[in-house]
Structures are given as C-alpha cells and as structure tokens.
Amino acid sequence: MAEKRLSSKRSAKSRAAKGGIKRIGWDEYFLLLAKLAACRSTCLSRPTGAVIVRSRQVMATGYNGSIPGAAHCIDDGICYRRRVGATDAEKLAWCRASHAEANAIAQAARAGILIEGSTLYTTLSPCFTCVKLIASAGIKRVVYEHLYESANIARDRHWADALREAGIEAVHLRLSTEAIERACESLAGETSKRRLKSE
C-alpha cells in the first residue's frame, strides 16, 4: 500500500515536471518575500522591503516607513523631505522613514532573534548607514534587487566598498521571468487549487 502511494506521488511529480511547473530557487524565493514586504512601505519615493534569513528560515522582515507614532508620507500624500526642500545631499538627514534593512534588524533585536551569520535580502542596495548596521549585526551576505543609483556615484560606490571591507558578500540578483510568472500566478489565482486529478 505504501509502495502504491509512493508510486502515485512520483507519477504526480513527473507529470508536474512535464507540465512546466518548476520550483524557484532559494535566493529568488526570499527576494520575492522582500518584494512582498515592500507592499507595506509608507514611502512615496522608493518603497523597499527586506528579509533576514538564517539557515533558510525567515528571521525578520522590514519595510521603510516612519518611526512609530510619526505621520506617514503615504498618508500625507507628499514626501516629507521634498516638502521641506532638502537637497539630495541632505536627504538622509531629513527623510523621516527608517530604512527596510534597519527595520528588519530592529525587529530581530526586539524579539531577541539571533541574526549573526545570516543573509539579508533587500529590494534596494543598502545605504552606508544600513551597511554599518548590517556589519554590526553580523550579517554575512546581502542580496539586493536594484542599485540605488543616486546623483552621487561616489556615494553609491562607497556602500559596496564598505561591505567588501567588512567581508560581507554582496549579490546583485534580478528575478528571472519564470520566478515572476510563478509568483504572479500564485498571487492572482487560487494558489492551492488542485492541479492534478485525484487518482
């Protein structure tokens, strides 16, 4: 009986493979989770999400938004630092949002969760302030989707150099078309609807 069940499972798996259904890889999976976290962002300029993973387990998530109790730009309908006229050079001093990476690290700290030796997945390459937090938290790998690409090229290069100096691996990952299609299919459709007929 057990053999028959095992055989049925194998044949279902084989049919799924023939039908083009494929599992996405670990890095793409966790980056997709970071993109979902970004849906909670209250930043009008660059909604960003982050996920901290250790031994293939999610330890904490974060997104960029105002500190607890402060107004959110998404509710005001205008970016605060643009409203006060802060220049590009001053933006980090005036932006009222905590970054996604910082929020994920803070969430782990508040819950007493060990993140040393972990990987941080983020939808945007980290700023230098977040790099310092990442290094201090003992995170060993950063996987990011988009480069920040600010008006200051030297500043953008600085965060990458800082990661290297701290011995942290940086991986620029663009999601494959297959991973995006799988995620969209799962989000838009009935995720757990039966694909194969019962035997």
Side-chain angles (χ1 to χ4, degrees), residues 31 62 102 106 120 143 150 160:
L31 188 55
L120 184 140
V143 178
S150 72

Side-chain angles (χ1 to χ4, degrees), residues 61-168:
T61 65
Y63 51 87
N64 55 339
S66 298
I67 60 172
H72 294 285
C73 294
I74 200 169
D75 296 329
D76 290 349
I78 185 167
C79 168
Y80 178 76
R81 73 107 175 156
R82 286 178 172 86
R83 189 175 76 199
V84 299
T87 65
D88 185 67
E90 299 171 314
K91 67 181 171 188
L92 289 179
W94 283 93
C95 176
R96 63 183 173 193
S98 294
H99 289 182
E101 306 94 319
N103 277 330
I105 291 167
Q107 288 300 319
R110 285 175 70 178
I113 297 169
L114 177 69
I115 58 173
E116 188 174 4
S118 64
T119 296
L120 184 140
Y121 293 84
T122 178
T123 56
L124 187 63
S125 57
C127 70
F128 183 56
T129 302
C130 285
V131 166
K132 289 185 280 187
L133 287 172
I134 288 164
S136 296
I139 291 168
K140 290 298 174 197
R141 187 168 176 257
V142 173
V143 178
Y144 63 94
E145 182 181 32
H146 294 294
L147 283 165
Y148 195 93
E149 296 180 325
S150 72
N152 188 329
I153 295 166
R155 187 174 64 198
D156 286 348
R157 206 178 296 122
H158 184 47
W159 71 264
D161 291 341
L163 282 179
R164 243 188 323 275
E165 285 170 12
I168 299 167

Side-chain angles (χ1 to χ4, degrees), residues 17 21 29 41 58-59 62 91 103 111 134 137 140 181 187 194:
I21 300 166
Y29 168 63
S41 171
V58 174
M59 300 287 105
K91 67 181 171 188
N103 277 330
I134 288 164
K140 290 298 174 197
E181 285 173 355
L187 289 169
R194 190 186 304 280

